[in-house]
Each structure stands twice: as C-alpha cells, then as structure tokens.
Amino acid sequence: MSLIFEKSVDGRRGVTFSALDVPKYTLPPDAEYLRQSPAVLPEVSELDLVRHYDGLSSKAYGVDSGFYPLGSCTMKYNPKLCEDTAALDGFCQIHPLQGGLSAQGCLEAAYLLTEYLGRITGMDCGTLQPAAGAHGEFTSLLMIKAYFKSIGQNRTKIIVPDSAHGTNPASAAMAGFEVVNIPSDCDGFVDIDALDAAMDGGVAAFMLTNPNTLGLFEKNISKIAGIVHGRGGILYYDGANLNAVMGISRPGDLGFDIMHINLHKTFATPHGGGGPGAGPVLCKEFLGGFLPRPTVVKDKNGRYSLKDGVRGGKSIGKTRAFFGNFLVCIKALTYITALGAEGITDAARKAVLNANYMRALTSEFLPVGSGACMHEFVASCEELKRDSGVSALDVAKALIDCKMHPPTIYFPLIVHEAMMFEPTETESKQTIDAAVAALKQIIETAKTNPESIKSAPVSTPVGRPDEVKAARKPVLRF
Amino acid sequence: MRYTPHTQADIDAMLSKLGISDISELFGGIELPKDSPKRGLDISGLSAQETERSLKRLAAKNKVYDTVFLGAGAYKHYIPPVVRHIAANPRFVTAYTPYQPEMSQGILQAIFEYQSCITRLTGLDASNASMYDGATAAAEAVLMCAGGGGDVLVSEGVNPDVIAVIETYLSGVGRTVTKIPLGADGLTDIEFVKARLSTAACCLISQPNYLGNIEKAKTLGGLLNGAGVGYIMHVYPMALGVLASPSECGADFATGEGQPLGMPLGFGGPYLGFIAAREKYIRKMTGRIVGATTDKDGKIVYVLTLQAREQHIRREKASSSICSNEALCALTAAVYLSAIGKRGLAEVGEACLSKAHYLADGLQKAGLKLKYKDTEFFNEFVTVSDPADAELSADRILRRLRRRGILGGLRLSKTELLWCATELNTKDEIDGACRVISGRGGRG
C-alpha cells in the first residue's frame, strides 16, 4: 500500500485553521533562527487521510479482531467502558500544571488507583509515574540503588534468572548495576543453589517473575526470600504475570519488597500497537521515601495534593516529566472499579482455567512440560522440527492463516522452539477449542506436507519479510 | 461487572477435561503465607452503569478551563476531529507491538510514516518509533551522546522537569549535569559553553527555551560541530514550521515532546517523546525502529528492525530497556501532521507566534512588563510586575482570571508569570483576559 507521502498533492489541505484575528507578527527576516527549507509533510484531503488509515487498519490485527494468545502479554479484552471514561473532558482537558485545587478529581483518581494497586499486591505505597513496564523496572532499580546508598552499603549487582524478560537485565544495566545471570531448572524454577552461591554482600536485588515465564508458580518463594533477605538484599517482583494471581496471592505477603505492574496487561488497558502502557511501581514502606516525586497525598480534610519530599525526602527524582500516563491509569481504575475484589479474583481464576484447558488440549499433540500451569503455558516444537523441519516460527506463521494471532515464540530462551500461549480469561471455551483444532491441523500437515507450512502465511497482504536485508541496509523513512 | 464469558456448562466441560472438580485445585501448588494478609482487597465491584457514573463524578471534580494561557511543557492546541477518529480505530488501539509483520503491516506502515514525518520535521536522517515522553527522549539522547565520558552540558533554559529527568537517568550511571546559565537576555550563555568545549561530551538546549525565548541555536551548533561535541536540540514541534530545523542548526540529535501533535492535555499523559538523529547514530539508537524491506515476491514489507540494539536480544548490553513505547501516540502524531500538512505546520506556527505577541502587548498595556524585552520569543514569554503593586502580583492575577474561568500563565515567582498562547486563543479571549488583569474587566 502506498505511503501517505506518495498520495500527497501540492496545495491540497486536510485541515485549515481559523483566519488570523490578530495582527501578524513577523520575526526579523535575516535572523539565523528562521527555517530555510520547509518540512515537506504530506498534503492530503481529510477524505484521503481517512481512506488511507482505513486501508492501514485493514492490515492490522487487535484483540477486537480475534484470538491473541501472545504469551506474557496478557492480551485480554479491553472494555469499551474504559475508553469512554478516559475520554471524558474532565480528564482529557486538564493541564498537568493547572494546580491541585482545580484537579481534585485527577488527584483522587490517582490516589485511589495507587491504593487499589497496593491492596491487590500487598504493598504499602507506590507511584503511577512510569510509562511502561520496563520504565517501572528502571525506576525501581534506581530506588534500590538510592536505598543502599542511604544506608551506606555499596551493592553493585543485580541477579536475574536466565528465564527472565530481557527488560530486567537491560533496566539493571541502565541503572548502573552489574548483571549476574543465574540458571533456571527445566521448568523455569529458580536454581536455589545457584542463587545461594551468587547472593553475596555485593548484590542489591534479585529480580523474579512469578508465575515464571513458563507459566509456573515459583515453588520455593519463602526459601528464596529467606536467602535474599538473609544477606541484606531486596526481592523484586516483575509484575508482568500478575494476572494469574491477582486476588489470590499477593507479592507483598510473599516477601517481595518492590515491584512494577503492567497496567496494559493485567488491568486491561489496550496496548495501542506498542504503547502507551503504564508501569506503576509499588513497594514496602522502607522504600517509599525513594519513590519518584511528586506523591499524591490526602490531608485530614479529604483534600488531595501533589507533594515533594514525602516519607523523608529521599526521592530518586523524576523518571518522567509529568504525572505518568494518566489517561491509561483512568482506564485501569475504571476496570478495577467495575470488577471489584470478586471480579478480580474471578479474572485470575478464569485466566488459569483457560490456560490449563488449552494446555490439556494441546498436550495431545505437542509436548507442554509437566504439571499444571498458571495463566500461560509453553509448548515445544523441538521434536516437530527434528522430524519434519517445521519450526515454531513456521507454525506461528501458519496460525496467521487461521485468522488468529500466533503465540509468543522463542521465549523463554530456556525451552527450544518454544511457543508460549496465554489465552487470558476473556476468551471463551469455543474460541480456545477452535484455536487448538487449527493448531492441531497445522501440526498434522507439518508431518505430511511440511513445505505448505513453511510457506505460510499465504492469506496476508505480504509474505515473510527479508529481515536480514532490513537490518543490513536500513530504510527507515520515506 | 465481569468480562469473563464462561457459562457453568463451559466451566464443567473444561474442568472435566482437566479431571478436576474445582478451579481452586489449579492453584493447589501456590505457597500462601501463613499469616493472613494485612489488608483485604475490599473493593466492591460495580455495574458498568454505576462505574461510569462513579468515574464521571470524579471527572466533574476537575475544572475544565475553556481559555488556557498555560503551557510550560504541555500545550492545548486544536485537535482536528479526524485525528481522534482515526486514532480510535480498535485495530490500532487493541493491537500489541507488531511482532508478526505479515498481519501488522497497517501498524508498521503507520509507524514508518511517523518516523518519516519526524525526520522531515527535524531535517535529521532517522527517527525511532517513539519514546515515553519528551523528557525521557532528551535523557536517552544524553545517554547515547555521553556514553564515552565527558561533561554533559544542559542549558538552564531547558524545562526544569526535563532537566530533572535527565539528572535521574544519569544518576544510574553515576553521572551529573553541568548547567549552562542563562544570560540577562534569557538566552543560553554561549561564552560558558565556549570555555568548556574541550571537556564536553554533549550539549543540550531547548528551542524555543522554557521561557519562550528563541535561542541562537545555529551559532551554538557551529561551535559544537567544530569541537566535535554532540549537539542535542530539544524542540517544540509546533515551532518547526517557523524556526530553523535542528538539522539546519547543526544538531546531532533532536528530541521533543510530541503531545502538541494531536494529543489532549490529559493531566500529563499519555504523551509522546520523539527522537531523531544523524545517520552515524542509527545503530546506537534507543527504542523500537521500523524499517522497510521486501518479501520473497519483492513486495515492500515493514518490520521492526535493527533489533540487535534491543533488550530482548542483547539483554544487559542493550542500548535501552524500552519494550512498550508510545506507538498509538506516534500514530496520532502522524495523522495530525498529515492532516495539517506542509502549509498547516507553517500556519499554526505563525498563529502561535502572532497570538502570543498580541497577548504580550495586551499584558503590557494592562500594566505588566516583559522580562526579556529585547529578546525574540515564540509563543511563550515571561512578564514581571512591580513588586509594589499588589493587585498585579502573580497570585492575584491568576486568582482573578480563575474566577472568570481563565487559566492564566505559570507562576514563576511572586511577580513573574510564564504565559503561553496558541492558535486556539482568540482575540476576544486575549482582550478579555487583559481587561480582567487591568481592572477594566472588574476586579474580583
């Protein structure tokens, strides 16, 4: 499909502005700061624009289009109600600097959401400032660094299991830590001996995803907490998989000290094709003073305000200019308000039921690891590849032809030819049945006619891209 | 309200397949703490109707100002309806990061077009797919430029929140910022920079600066380019139809807050950070990048590319930890820029410039003075009042305007206000506000 730039016609207008009703001001014509060559933006009519993007949308696929079991991404349905509340003028038209007195509703919403997230996670305090999960990790790691500095300890290392999301080590490095990778066992559980050996006095924190990236609830949490805390370290909870346990088990009660939450996963805010998300950080009281500034506080008269220097004034500063991806937070608040405690627990239970059901159906034709899973499971195409040459990538591409989004593939790294399915709680039994039937058909075809699977997808506007060419000779703009 | 579709018959059939009688059995392996939780969930669920009412009640506790003269990092501009409608398309809204290019060409092409718009806006060679906000874009540009050591020079004319974020980002790697003072003209002190060229890694200024003044960005660029110091310009996109592009000024990086390009104020977010760079920085670039390639039939395909920089491949050696960015905001900005087009960008810039100068004239007639009267400004400027005139103190002015439903400028001190005007402010609004301040509109 041609680019909007290619549809441009000199002089055509989409939007026109009101005629200038004040005298035109002109900067000195010889000034060095005047633009010499104009920004050559597309010139199209409003209808050109509408049709162009309608065409693009027909080549996009969202949760609204169909099943999206992308493991670790929690692609649940995004209720329309949340879109409506976040579009209210009373939230959209509020300037972040207009003053707390005229933004009491925004501050109350932020206070409420932080409070609810605290109750759900068992943490004492938090911030809504981080714009995404990885941003929340980075924020938390800076807090951990500041905490150890404040008590005069020089801890320079962060331990990360090899099954962790790539953002964990990357965020730790950005925060200036040395990353120590430790192995996981074949189920993705923490290798306790490896942790024990690595956990010396130079380690600031251990970052753990629970349920882990194989969809299993870590079996040795109290032992892990004992080792980490026993040597003065901090236990970090990567909240990417919180959907499996919300309303059932709270990280704060299990010994975790600090965590981030992906509102765009667990709390149903849409992902927008790659953001905006939101990555609030929640923590125990002893880390609260290090949270980014400002904090929303409520006084004894029930009035809300934004304050710096709360809990001792040791804040790490700011990790984003204003108060977080606020309208995303409104969507999450709407979702939590609608679900309530029972709805939240129900969502986690159904997410786990769906994943186990899908896992059971899939186990009849693909290896899926041992034991019951939580909200997601990992199947392996290793044998299939050995026998037929058809890889996890090929299977994923063939699923596209079945009008569904493929699972996450080649993650976690510790399972060969991994396919990670996360159906989420908003999908019906019928949707899962149909998806597994399609998957089964693909696996059977792979054994008899592997070439047909390797040439998938065939129903899409384009075939598989030459990614090597894309990286070798980057074409990044029109 | 629940969004789970399971009927009892579904649940029974699923449990039967699993050979269990209750969902709770699936949680059997979970280690639960022995002592009961300190706080219960204690959130009562509501129906959709009640939830909507409850959120509307919250929204109603905020004051929506029709007339806004406040900017300082977040700006109220006209958002054409077509922008909102296109950006609300569920296929854009409810998609994940486009990991499967064959079924995500729409999103990938939209981001490619966004990247193209940003390179045209800034004149630079490459843009990434978006950043969390303008401040984090500036911070990561600094990290890219200053990785090899050397001083990080940041003008005091940069928005204080942006400086704060840069300082926080640098604190991780134990680095600090050297602030370049402003001269009496409200512009970055170029002599200060000259004296530090030999030890500087990079220099960041804002154009126009936080106080609205138009920096001598080209002169500075000449100096920095000559000394091989990385030059980052943090720019207001709405000014780029009028003011020299970062490329014309010799910048290596352009960063900025893209919120004015079609996003509402939204109490601070979600916003859009943009970052563009010269060719030589492309393989160090932070965040997602979309590139064009072909499929086996030679058809053009857009893909996420240069992923060897990124966290899921490089882990602790990645150039950044960014995973989710602000894709839908980038799409919104691309729609906005395509809607207003080449001429619209210049027009909106000229309107901002003219309205702000009309406002400045009015405020001067109302008794305020311009703090930097000999310096050219774009659409923001600082006024000062006579400390002896209590009626014209910043607080009194803001209060009187508030009573008339007008959001005044940002209070910088007892006597100083930072004002902003955009194409949305009409002559009548400006005249009205000035009357309120001069007292001719009745003192409240």
Side-chain angles (χ1 to χ4, degrees):
Chain A
M1 193 175 143
S2 59
L3 294 163
I4 191 82
F5 291 90
E6 297 169 286
K7 295 173 181 171
S8 178
V9 175
D10 191 41
R12 193 165 279 164
R13 296 297 298 265
V15 172
T16 47
F17 293 99
S18 310
L20 203 58
D21 57 357
V22 301
K24 185 175 159 82
Y25 185 84
T26 316
L27 290 164
D30 55 345
E32 67 160 59
Y33 44 68
L34 292 181
R35 186 154 191 149
Q36 301 303 316
S37 53
V40 188
L41 296 170
E43 295 178 89
V44 292
S45 70
E46 181 168 325
L47 180 57
D48 291 337
L49 197 61
V50 167
R51 289 200 178 138
H52 179 72
Y53 279 94
D54 183 73
L56 290 183
S57 77
S58 73
K59 294 178 177 139
Y61 184 96
V63 175
D64 284 15
S65 321
F67 193 32
Y68 216 123
L70 190 62
S72 224
C73 299
T74 316
M75 293 297 279
K76 61 172 79 176
Y77 172 63
N78 314 125
K80 300 300 173 194
L81 170 63
C82 307
E83 296 301 305
D84 280 359
T85 55
L88 289 169
D89 261 1
F91 294 128
C92 285
Q93 303 296 338
I94 306 306
H95 194 293
L97 300 173
Q98 76 177 44
L101 280 179
S102 65
Q104 285 292 297
C106 289
L107 295 178
E108 185 177 341
Y111 186 90
L112 258 181
L113 179 60
T114 312
E115 172 71 25
Y116 286 169
L117 295 176
R119 288 184 206 167
I120 291 167
T121 58
M123 295 289 177
D124 301 318
C125 39
T127 177
L128 304 179
Q129 198 171 104
H135 202 207
E137 294 172 7
F138 177 58
T139 302
S140 304
L141 288 158
L142 289 178
M143 289 170 62
I144 291 169
K145 189 164 215 180
Y147 165 73
F148 283 116
K149 196 175 172 196
S150 79
I151 57 169
Q153 290 186 17
N154 183 30
R155 291 179 182 249
T156 55
K157 293 184 282 186
I158 298 287
I159 304 179
V160 176
D162 59 3
S163 57
H165 299 115
T167 51
N168 288 184
S171 296
M174 275 185 86
F177 286 106
E178 180 193 331
V179 176
V180 180
N181 289 292
I182 60 164
S184 311
D185 70 15
C186 60
D187 289 323
F189 291 124
V190 174
D191 180 331
I192 297 289
D193 293 336
L195 174 66
D196 193 44
M199 190 65 219
D200 60 32
V203 174
F206 176 50
M207 298 179 85
L208 188 58
T209 306
N210 186 43
N212 67 23
T213 53
L214 266 80
L216 304 177
F217 196 92
E218 183 58 56
K219 57 188 177 186
N220 293 310
I221 293 281
S222 52
K223 213 181 271 176
I224 291 167
I227 293 172
V228 174
H229 289 152
R231 317 234 169 110
I234 282 176
L235 193 54
Y236 181 89
Y237 183 89
D238 178 328
N241 294 345
L242 184 65
N243 200 48
V245 293
M246 62 173 179
I248 291 159
S249 162
R250 309 195 310 171
D253 298 334
L254 295 174
F256 288 93
D257 303 299
I258 183 165
M259 66 180 292
H260 79 266
I261 295 174
N262 304 76
L263 294 186
H264 48 281
K265 294 180 180 178
T266 311
F267 296 102
T269 72
H271 198 261
V281 168
L282 282 298
C283 65
K284 294 280 176 65
E285 187 68 40
F286 76 99
L287 289 169
F290 303 94
L291 285 164
R293 66 181 171 81
T295 309
V296 187
V297 295
K298 183 181 183 180
D299 71 15
K300 58 185 189 305
N301 301 317
R303 190 176 285 178
Y304 299 88
S305 57
L306 282 172
K307 276 212 160 57
D308 284 351
V310 176
R311 298 188 187 88
K314 297 164 287 189
S315 168
I316 56 164
K318 287 188 162 214
T319 48
R320 192 186 173 287
F322 295 117
F323 198 75
N325 275 350
F326 180 74
L327 298 176
V328 174
C329 295
I330 289 296
K331 293 179 191 182
L333 176 64
T334 305
Y335 178 74
I336 294 172
T337 304
L339 260 62
E342 285 182 18
I344 285 168
T345 308
D346 175 65
R349 287 165 60 90
K350 301 282 170 57
V352 171
L353 174 65
N354 276 0
N356 276 283
Y357 176 67
M358 188 171 183
R359 177 182 170 279
L361 295 179
T362 305
S363 71
E364 290 167 7
F365 54 89
L366 272 183
V368 293
S370 57
C373 64
M374 298 300 288
H375 64 302
E376 64 190 3
F377 69 93
V378 178
S380 170
C381 293
E382 191 174 14
E383 278 174 39
L384 181 74
K385 189 174 179 196
R386 194 186 56 216
D387 299 343
S388 68
V390 171
S391 66
L393 178 74
D394 298 324
V395 173
K397 298 301 181 192
L399 282 168
I400 296 176
D401 283 332
C402 303
K403 307 286 171 258
M404 65 177 268
H405 196 285
T408 294
I409 49 173
Y410 301 108
F411 185 82
L413 308 173
I414 54 176
V415 175
H416 295 141
E417 296 296 321
M419 289 201 301
M420 182 198 242
F421 291 92
E422 182 180 10
T424 83
E425 73 276 13
T426 55
E427 299 298 336
S428 67
K429 175 179 178 295
Q430 292 72 21
T431 299
I432 295 171
D433 287 343
V436 176
L439 179 63
K440 188 177 182 188
Q441 183 65 52
I442 291 167
I443 302 298
E444 279 167 12
T445 307
K447 289 171 184 163
T448 54
N449 182 7
E451 285 314 308
S452 70
I453 304 297
K454 285 183 183 176
S455 58
V458 293
S459 62
T460 46
V462 295
R464 295 189 201 183
D466 182 345
E467 307 213 13
V468 174
K469 179 177 163 188
R472 214 165 266 167
K473 289 186 195 155
V475 177
L476 310 178
R477 65 183 158 100
F478 174 63
Chain B
M1 186 65 209
R2 301 218 179 150
Y3 296 96
T4 43
H6 305 69
T7 63
Q8 194 54 51
D10 291 334
I11 295 171
D12 292 344
M14 294 165 89
L15 289 174
S16 151
K17 176 79 198 169
L18 294 171
I20 55 175
S21 57
D22 192 286
I23 297 177
S24 301
E25 292 176 47
L26 296 170
F27 292 88
I30 287 194
E31 184 184 349
L32 292 169
K34 286 171 200 78
D35 49 334
S36 59
K38 278 173 272 177
R39 290 179 296 175
L41 268 186
D42 193 25
I43 309 167
S44 51
L46 300 176
S47 69
Q49 199 182 326
E50 288 162 337
T51 305
E52 188 175 345
R53 197 181 306 144
S54 143
L55 269 291
K56 276 185 173 164
R57 217 175 283 144
L58 270 181
K61 292 182 186 176
N62 297 315
K63 167 75 183 161
V64 175
Y65 290 98
D66 289 330
T67 303
V68 175
F69 294 112
L70 176 60
Y75 300 89
K76 189 171 175 176
H77 286 280
Y78 179 62
I79 302 177
V82 67
V83 176
R84 279 200 307 274
H85 281 270
I86 288 175
N89 187 312
R91 284 183 184 255
F92 300 140
V93 174
T94 70
Y96 203 76
T97 303
Y99 292 138
Q100 297 292 342
E102 299 87 346
M103 70 193 311
S104 311
Q105 283 300 293
I107 289 194
L108 288 159
Q109 183 175 332
I111 297 173
F112 186 83
E113 292 183 2
Y114 159 80
Q115 291 175 181
S116 304
C117 285
I118 295 298
T119 57
R120 299 211 159 184
L121 215 49
T122 58
L124 295 174
D125 301 318
S127 156
N128 82 356
S130 70
M131 301 291 288
Y132 302 139
D133 72 347
T136 61
E140 293 223 23
V142 166
L143 289 178
M144 279 186 270
C145 262
D151 295 342
V152 174
L153 306 181
V154 176
S155 168
E156 278 185 347
V158 174
N159 184 312
D161 283 340
V162 175
I163 299 180
V165 172
I166 294 172
E167 288 178 324
T168 307
Y169 266 64
L170 281 174
S171 73
V173 285
R175 304 278 295 274
T176 53
V177 158
T178 303
K179 287 187 193 158
I180 314 167
L182 296 184
D185 55 1
L187 296 176
T188 301
D189 182 352
I190 291 184
E191 294 305 314
F192 184 94
V193 177
K194 263 188 199 161
R196 282 159 185 81
L197 285 175
S198 60
T199 56
C202 65
C203 175
L204 185 147
I205 64 154
S206 175
Q207 181 74 317
N209 72 21
Y210 178 60
L211 305 174
N213 299 325
I214 304 176
E215 296 275 8
K216 295 196 174 72
K218 213 173 201 167
T219 303
L220 191 59
L223 269 178
L224 296 168
N225 292 164
V229 176
Y231 184 20
I232 306 164
M233 278 180 74
H234 193 68
V235 293
Y236 179 42
M238 309 307 273
L240 289 178
V242 174
L243 300 183
S245 70
S247 168
E248 289 172 342
C249 297
D252 297 294
F253 281 92
T255 59
E257 177 50 68
Q259 172 269 329
L261 306 172
M263 279 139 267
L265 291 168
F267 198 55
Y271 286 0
L272 162 72
F274 62 84
I275 184 165
R278 294 206 183 272
E279 182 109 35
K280 64 174 174 176
Y281 294 99
I282 289 176
R283 285 179 195 274
K284 282 168 77 179
M285 182 60 107
T286 175
R288 307 279 189 188
I289 298 179
V290 172
T293 183
T294 48
D295 67 5
K296 65 176 176 357
D297 299 327
K299 279 194 227 161
I300 293 173
V301 188
Y302 301 97
V303 291
L304 293 173
T305 193
L306 301 175
Q307 300 196 55
R309 305 162 293 115
E310 290 189 65
Q311 46 80 23
H312 58 289
I313 310 279
R314 294 272 283 172
R315 298 176 80 86
E316 62 267 27
K317 293 189 183 70
S319 58
S320 167
S321 70
I322 291 178
C323 186
S324 291
N325 47 36
E326 307 283 310
L328 191 63
C329 300
L331 181 145
T332 305
V335 178
Y336 175 85
L337 287 169
S338 303
I340 67 166
K342 179 175 85 176
R343 286 176 173 76
L345 182 74
E347 276 174 21
V348 73
E350 282 159 11
C352 288
L353 180 73
S354 300
K355 305 265 184 174
H357 283 78
Y358 185 74
L359 173 65
D361 283 347
L363 292 174
Q364 289 178 86
K365 283 174 195 149
L368 299 173
K369 288 196 169 63
L370 292 189
K371 184 168 183 190
Y372 306 107
K373 61 180 184 344
D374 297 324
T375 304
E376 292 288 353
F377 61 88
F378 182 66
N379 75 329
E380 292 185 271
F381 57 89
V382 180
T383 58
V384 210
S385 63
D386 180 353
D389 187 348
E391 279 302 315
L392 288 182
S393 73
D395 291 324
R396 291 274 182 98
I397 288 175
L398 292 177
R399 196 187 316 146
R400 290 214 301 279
L401 290 173
R402 238 180 352 247
R403 285 189 187 145
R404 295 287 193 292
I406 300 169
L407 182 58
L410 185 75
R411 183 191 187 280
L412 297 178
S413 73
K414 277 181 190 166
T415 55
E416 292 183 0
L417 287 164
L418 173 62
W419 299 87
C420 172
T422 72
E423 78 285 1
L424 277 177
N425 298 114
T426 63
K427 177 176 182 295
D428 286 350
E429 275 180 10
I430 296 172
D431 291 341
C434 293
R435 270 199 305 275
V436 171
I437 294 168
S438 70
R440 282 173 288 133
R443 293 215 161 171

